[in-house]
Amino acid sequence: MKTPEPLRTHVPDQGLHLSRIRAITLDLDDTLWPIWPTIERAERVLQDWLDTHAPATAALGRDRNTLREARNQMVTMRPDLALDMSGLRRESIRWLLQRAGEDPALAEPAFEVFFAERHRVELFEDALPALEYLASRFPVVALSNGNADVHRVGIGAHFHASLHAGGFGVGKPDVRIFHAAAEAAGVAPHEVLHIGDDAHLDGVGALNAGMQLAWLNRAGHPWEHAPLVPHLTVGDLHALCRALEG
């Protein structure tokens, strides 16, 4: 199969400076796997578990208005968890258990059921070959606002380090987490190529941090953040690897 060419948007790319790249930072959700099918499946598994172990809570969990109320309550009651996706999910479950009059201690095993399924991701077909290629050439640092653990996913061997917004204290597009990722790789920010799908969180964040940006634009969206411009726009990770070969 022919490798797709780099994808063009209405804003021309800057072009990669290949000789400057000494490390890679890499987004996870929607870059290496589609996130929403994973979350929806994990929520179904959690609901099944609650049906057995906390049926009153399970009944509440089927009401979208109650779920929305739980999320809103967490935003108000636990602003310290704003970046902690695991903490927010666990405490939302605990709030539902308390609301239903069931044991709030069940929040811990319930969350673990959800979290285990959340890590049963289905990688995009280009993800593993790209990871193997990138890791053979550069230190690769995972950089995510989510809560996926690359080791639990089963791809940890390809990563030099992993940073998450919840653990670091700020998330993308804040330049501090990008700079921390560069430091974890042992290089300066301008020596990093960041790869990610989100034009704002990944794109604007990396460019403002002084990194080169490879924007993974699988759906062909227009770039809407001029005068900032990606160094490279690709439709898949095969095209990215081809571009890095020079």
Side-chain angles (χ1 to χ4, degrees):
M1 181 181 295
K2 183 179 178 181
T3 302
E5 295 295 331
L7 186 69
R8 300 301 175 191
T9 66
H10 70 282
V11 178
D13 294 335
Q14 296 184 45
L16 284 178
H17 300 279
L18 295 176
S19 63
R20 278 174 37 193
I21 302 171
R22 295 184 55 209
I24 300 291
T25 55
L26 182 64
D27 177 52
L28 300 177
D29 293 329
D30 284 332
T31 293
L32 297 183
W33 56 77
I35 183 56
W36 289 114
T38 304
I39 296 298
E40 289 170 0
R41 188 182 65 249
E43 288 179 339
R44 289 196 301 270
V45 169
L46 170 62
Q47 187 69 33
D48 290 344
W49 188 92
L50 291 171
D51 280 336
T52 299
H53 298 88
T57 302
L60 284 179
R62 291 189 181 88
D63 185 335
R64 292 191 177 277
N65 290 329
T66 303
L67 290 176
R68 188 178 303 110
E69 184 182 355
R71 287 191 292 269
N72 292 340
Q73 285 290 332
M74 287 306 104
V75 170
T76 301
M77 296 165 53
R78 297 297 304 272
D80 57 307
L81 297 178
L83 296 172
D84 183 353
M85 298 297 103
S86 294
L88 282 171
R89 176 72 64 168
R90 184 186 298 106
E91 294 311 308
S92 293
I93 296 169
R94 195 183 313 278
W95 184 87
L96 285 171
L97 286 160
Q98 292 170 330
R99 174 83 175 266
E102 293 179 315
D103 185 1
L106 290 173
E108 302 297 335
F111 172 75
E112 285 305 318
V113 166
F114 170 87
F115 203 47
E117 192 67 23
R118 186 260 188 271
H119 283 94
R120 290 185 61 248
V121 303
E122 295 185 13
L123 295 169
F124 290 119
E125 59 86 20
D126 56 0
L128 191 57
L131 272 175
E132 292 171 346
Y133 174 80
L134 293 170
S136 72
R137 299 188 62 190
F138 308 100
V140 180
V141 177
L143 187 54
S144 177
N145 282 7
N147 59 355
D149 181 329
V150 292
H151 296 285
R152 290 187 70 161
V153 170
I155 55 175
H158 302 294
F159 289 90
H160 179 76
S162 181
L163 273 72
H164 295 79
F168 184 69
V170 299
K172 299 179 294 186
D174 193 301
V175 299
R176 289 174 289 177
I177 195 168
F178 288 92
H179 289 166
E183 184 176 357
V187 301
H190 74 275
E191 296 174 311
V192 174
L193 174 65
H194 180 69
I195 304 163
D197 71 290
D198 191 294
H200 175 60
L201 298 180
D202 292 299
V204 172
L207 292 168
N208 282 338
M211 296 179 173
Q212 293 193 76
L213 168 67
W215 181 34
L216 179 60
N217 184 13
R218 295 184 186 275
H221 296 300
W223 177 264
E224 298 177 341
H225 299 282
L228 296 174
V229 180
H231 294 80
L232 176 70
T233 300
V234 291
D236 62 40
L237 293 172
H238 294 312
L240 170 67
C241 294
R242 179 176 176 175
L244 290 175
E245 291 175 354

